[in-house]
Amino acid sequence: MKKTLSLVLAAALAALLTGCGGNDGGWVSASGSAPAAQHEPVIINFPTAGSGGALYAVGAAVSNLWDTEIPYVSASSQASNGGIDNLALVSEGEAQVSVAISSNCWQCLNGAGGFEGYAYEDLKVIAGLYLNPNQVVVSEKSGVTELAGLKGKRFAVAAAGSSVEGECEIHFTAAGLRYPDDLRCEYISFHDAAGLLQNGSIDGAWIMSGAPAAAVTQACASGCRLLNLSGEVISDLQDQYPWYVPFTIPAGTYPNQEEDVETSAIKMVMFCRGSLDTETVYDLTRVFWENIDTLGQSQPNLQGLTPQEAVKDIAGLPLHPGAERYYQEIGVL
């Protein structure tokens, strides 16, 4: 009788554990919440940038990680026109997670700049990533030694209406020039700008990208050089905007670069729709940081990132509650 009762209790316990996900190999989040099998499926569309750029590769690597490691998440990346396009896609619900510089995120959240009248007030941050430095490349024959010296020169400002062109307007204005009237602007890609710098068809180009950037390497290998931004210009920018930080491009980062170059930078931010549930964003954040070393091995821009720095220099943007929970659990907040 006792043996029969023991078998019945054992069977009941096994059934209970199975129902709770205890012995079916089901994945349970680190927060101790319901197993993945009980979570509604979540689709993550992750727009990035042009397919030839570093940001596209970063987005592909991160979305593949989530797709592989979080059973209820189906994530994929796609090419886009960059940060402003990404913010529009997330705002309109066509994407759930993306990346952009913190300045554009702030403008989107607050309905400022190009987002005037189109504020997306439910934008939330998953993580601040790496600093994106402004890199001003000039040809040797241009003779330009400071930003103001580009007045009247042929200069590549990236695509019209892009975040990079916005950087040009802000910086040239801070340097005392009228933008775009004081320049002969060329609205072309980084890749095309590097080629035109090589053959001397333009005098300079604005490249905003993690360093080293392929376009800057190509230009510097042909004799071009980076400009220093003056401390006065950077200080002026910091007084006006909450997202700029000073940045040093170390000597030797590019061919023929014998000295450090001082410039400004803005942090790249991974953001999402605020409507994503807390558990999902918690798991997206946790899996990203638990695998950051592996990600960094294939994506140089992700090397050396830490959760401690992920909540700094993000222009006061709000964290998603799921991300905030993770940072609190690991003692960052």
Side-chain angles (χ1 to χ4, degrees):
M1 181 67 177
K2 289 182 179 180
K3 182 176 181 182
T4 302
L5 180 59
S6 297
L7 290 172
V8 170
L9 290 174
L13 179 59
L16 178 62
L17 289 174
T18 299
C20 294
N23 68 348
D24 64 353
W27 174 89
V28 180
S29 77
S31 62
S33 58
Q38 295 181 16
H39 197 294
E40 292 282 333
V42 175
I43 295 175
I44 301 291
N45 293 322
F46 192 140
T48 54
S51 59
L55 196 55
Y56 177 83
V58 166
V62 174
S63 60
N64 181 67
L65 173 70
W66 289 337
D67 189 71
T68 302
E69 296 295 326
I70 308 176
Y72 64 85
V73 167
S74 176
S76 61
S77 63
Q78 63 191 65
S80 76
N81 291 322
I84 291 176
D85 189 29
N86 295 342
L87 285 158
L89 289 168
V90 170
S91 299
E92 294 163 5
E94 295 183 31
Q96 291 71 44
V97 177
S98 193
V99 284
I101 53 177
S102 61
S103 56
N104 288 157
C105 292
W106 188 94
Q107 291 168 334
C108 181
L109 178 71
N110 293 281
F115 295 93
E116 186 172 354
Y118 299 95
Y120 177 54
E121 297 178 353
D122 204 23
L123 181 148
K124 296 292 187 288
V125 171
I126 294 175
L129 302 178
Y130 52 89
L131 285 169
N132 233 17
N134 284 295
Q135 303 177 65
V136 187
V137 193
V138 296
S139 66
E140 195 62 46
K141 74 171 187 177
S142 70
V144 174
T145 58
E146 59 180 1
L147 210 54
L150 284 160
K151 183 175 182 178
K153 302 292 187 180
R154 290 191 65 191
F155 191 84
V157 298
S162 66
S163 55
V164 178
E165 194 204 1
E167 289 302 296
C168 291
E169 180 175 8
I170 289 171
H171 283 75
F172 282 120
T173 300
L177 273 62
R178 294 173 304 139
Y179 182 89
D181 298 342
D182 282 344
L183 291 100
R184 297 159 61 194
C185 294
E186 299 286 342
Y187 300 93
I188 55 178
S189 70
F190 294 167
H191 174 77
D192 290 341
L196 292 179
L197 279 166
Q198 276 186 307
N199 63 34
S201 298
I202 60 175
D203 299 296
W206 201 283
I207 311 291
M208 190 181 200
S209 177
V216 181
T217 298
Q218 180 182 343
C220 289
S222 65
C224 296
R225 53 187 168 77
L226 287 166
L227 282 187
N228 278 290
L229 297 189
S230 72
E232 183 180 355
V233 167
I234 296 173
S235 178
D236 185 42
L237 292 174
Q238 290 183 294
D239 288 342
Q240 295 182 64
Y241 307 100
W243 46 77
Y244 285 112
V245 296
F247 188 91
T248 300
I249 302 174
T253 300
Y254 293 110
N256 307 311
Q257 182 200 347
E258 297 179 356
E259 298 179 348
D260 291 349
V261 172
E262 305 302 326
T263 186
S264 63
I266 304 177
K267 184 162 279 189
M268 185 67 70
V269 171
M270 182 160 57
F271 61 92
C272 66
R273 291 183 61 80
S275 59
L276 277 177
D277 70 275
T278 299
E279 189 65 28
T280 295
V281 178
Y282 173 90
D283 287 330
L284 296 178
T285 309
R286 178 185 61 80
V287 169
F288 174 78
W289 288 113
E290 287 181 353
N291 293 274
I292 192 62
D293 290 341
T294 301
L295 287 169
Q297 290 173 12
S298 62
Q299 304 301 322
N301 283 331
L302 299 182
Q303 289 178 0
L305 297 190
T306 66
Q308 289 75 16
E309 294 299 316
V311 296
K312 298 177 182 178
D313 299 321
I314 57 174
L317 297 166
L319 289 167
H320 189 285
E324 187 173 24
R325 186 211 298 178
Y326 175 76
Y327 293 122
Q328 287 172 340
E329 283 187 3
I330 64 172
V332 168
L333 294 178

